[in-house]
Amino acid sequence: MAEEEKKSRRTKLSGSRSKASGKTGSTKEEKKSSKKTLNKVGVEDEKMLLKKAEEKEKARKETEDKEKEIKKVEKEETKTVIEQKAEEVRAKNKHGKKYRSVKEKIEIDKIYEPDEAIDLVKETSLTKFDATVDLHLRLDKKIENLRGVVNLPAGSAKEKIVLAVTEKNIEEVVEKVKSGKTKFDIMLATPTIMPKLASLAKILGPKGLMPNPKSGTVTENIEEAMEEFKSGKVEFKADKGNNIHISIGRVSFDHEKLKQNLDAALAAVPVGKVLSAHLTTSMGPSIKIKVGK
């Protein structure tokens, strides 16, 4: 009897231990599983937060870029409006009332006959002084570096200061030109003198004052050339825009004198290569004229 009770107690105690042992193992696994679950949730939450932060930053940048673009467009529009207004003001104030009144006498799209243009250019002169009458020719790009001379039968608009370089004054001329003294309009020289003037090429060349055979300023007959230039011989040369400008007289010249000089100037240039021709006075409006037949 006593033995049976002992066995019963052992059995119960063993069962209790087994249950306790099973319960403890289960709790550890649950804790481990729970920890894994929490770690997984934490990583996912972190990824989600990073993603949301990135999306928010992206949206902010897009909004910022749009605002910058809008400001840029508004700035450009404002600048355009300001420039347009400034251009209108400049166009309005570019010429005075007197200029605008005489310009109204000229038909913009009309190409005038030379005789009619001469009368009109004298009529539209604005200056109180005796203004020059200039011929402006725009040349075809196919013809380049055109230069030459023309003898104006009625005399030039301005009396030219002609300097003849000889063996006697060559040293003096070189010294004065190098010191900046070029008080002359035309320099004449003989072929034998030209090598001695080579050192002045960089100074006189850009000013169009260097003697050149094509312009008739390098010649054996200095005295004859001097007389021609003083009496109305004019040198011309195309500029960088392929335009030629020749003064054919003054407003005080009568119609016939201006006509003679205009005809001579046009005859000195290949008319077939002239794209357009205009007559104008100092500070006066230009008048388009007919060239050729």
Side-chain angles (χ1 to χ4, degrees), residues 14 36 74 95 114 119 151 181 215 232:
S14 178
K36 286 183 179 179
E74 289 176 347
H95 298 294
D119 290 335
N151 288 306
K181 297 177 181 178
S215 63

Side-chain angles (χ1 to χ4, degrees), residues 49-261:
L49 289 171
L50 287 172
K51 187 177 180 181
K52 286 182 178 180
E54 288 174 357
E55 290 176 351
K56 189 175 180 180
E57 180 63 19
K58 185 179 178 181
R60 187 191 68 77
K61 284 185 177 180
E62 288 178 354
T63 303
E64 187 178 313
D65 290 342
K66 285 181 181 179
E67 288 177 352
K68 285 182 179 180
E69 187 64 28
I70 291 170
K71 287 180 179 179
K72 184 179 178 181
V73 172
E74 289 176 347
K75 187 177 180 180
E76 288 177 352
E77 289 177 349
T78 303
K79 185 179 178 181
T80 302
V81 171
I82 292 171
E83 287 176 349
Q84 287 176 347
K85 288 183 178 180
E87 185 62 32
E88 289 174 3
V89 171
R90 283 195 295 269
K92 186 176 180 181
N93 299 328
K94 188 175 181 180
H95 298 294
K97 185 177 179 181
K98 190 175 180 181
Y99 180 94
R100 295 196 299 271
S101 66
V102 296
K103 192 175 181 181
E104 289 176 358
K105 298 178 181 180
I106 302 169
E107 296 179 36
I108 297 175
D109 299 324
K110 183 176 179 179
I111 300 176
Y112 290 85
E113 292 292 336
D115 284 302
E116 190 177 5
I118 288 170
D119 290 335
L120 194 55
V121 82
K122 287 167 69 69
E123 185 181 347
T124 55
S125 179
L126 296 168
T127 60
K128 293 180 179 180
F129 58 85
D130 191 10
T132 60
V133 178
D134 300 317
L135 172 65
H136 305 281
L137 304 172
R138 185 163 68 91
L139 304 178
D140 191 329
K141 291 182 179 179
K142 293 179 181 179
I143 184 169
E144 296 180 349
N145 302 319
L146 181 66
R147 66 183 302 168
V149 291
V150 54
N151 288 306
L152 301 176
S156 62
K158 177 185 176 183
E159 186 177 347
K160 302 290 184 180
I161 300 174
V162 183
L163 173 64
V165 184
T166 64
E167 291 289 352
K168 293 180 180 180
N169 67 356
I170 179 66
E171 292 182 4
E172 182 185 352
V173 169
V174 171
E175 186 180 343
K176 285 185 176 181
V177 171
K178 286 184 176 180
S179 65
K181 297 177 181 178
T182 53
K183 295 181 179 180
F184 55 87
D185 301 306
I186 298 168
M187 178 185 281
L188 301 177
T190 61
T192 55
I193 288 291
M194 285 305 294
K196 297 179 181 181
L197 293 174
S199 61
L200 303 180
K202 290 184 178 180
I203 301 173
L204 299 179
K207 297 179 180 180
L209 297 175
M210 191 67 182
N212 190 300
K214 291 182 179 179
S215 63
T217 50
V218 176
T219 175
E220 292 288 359
N221 197 332
I222 295 290
E223 291 182 2
E224 184 181 336
M226 183 177 287
E227 187 61 33
E228 288 177 350
F229 278 106
K230 284 186 175 181
S231 63
K233 192 174 184 179
V234 176
E235 181 184 0
F236 63 83
K237 181 182 178 182
D239 61 18
K240 291 181 180 179
N242 218 22
N243 302 303
I244 287 178
H245 313 283
I246 304 174
S247 294
I248 62 168
R250 292 190 175 276
V251 173
S252 59
F253 284 25
D254 62 34
H255 180 99
E256 189 56 34
K257 285 184 177 180
L258 288 174
K259 182 64 166 56
Q260 288 175 4
N261 285 352

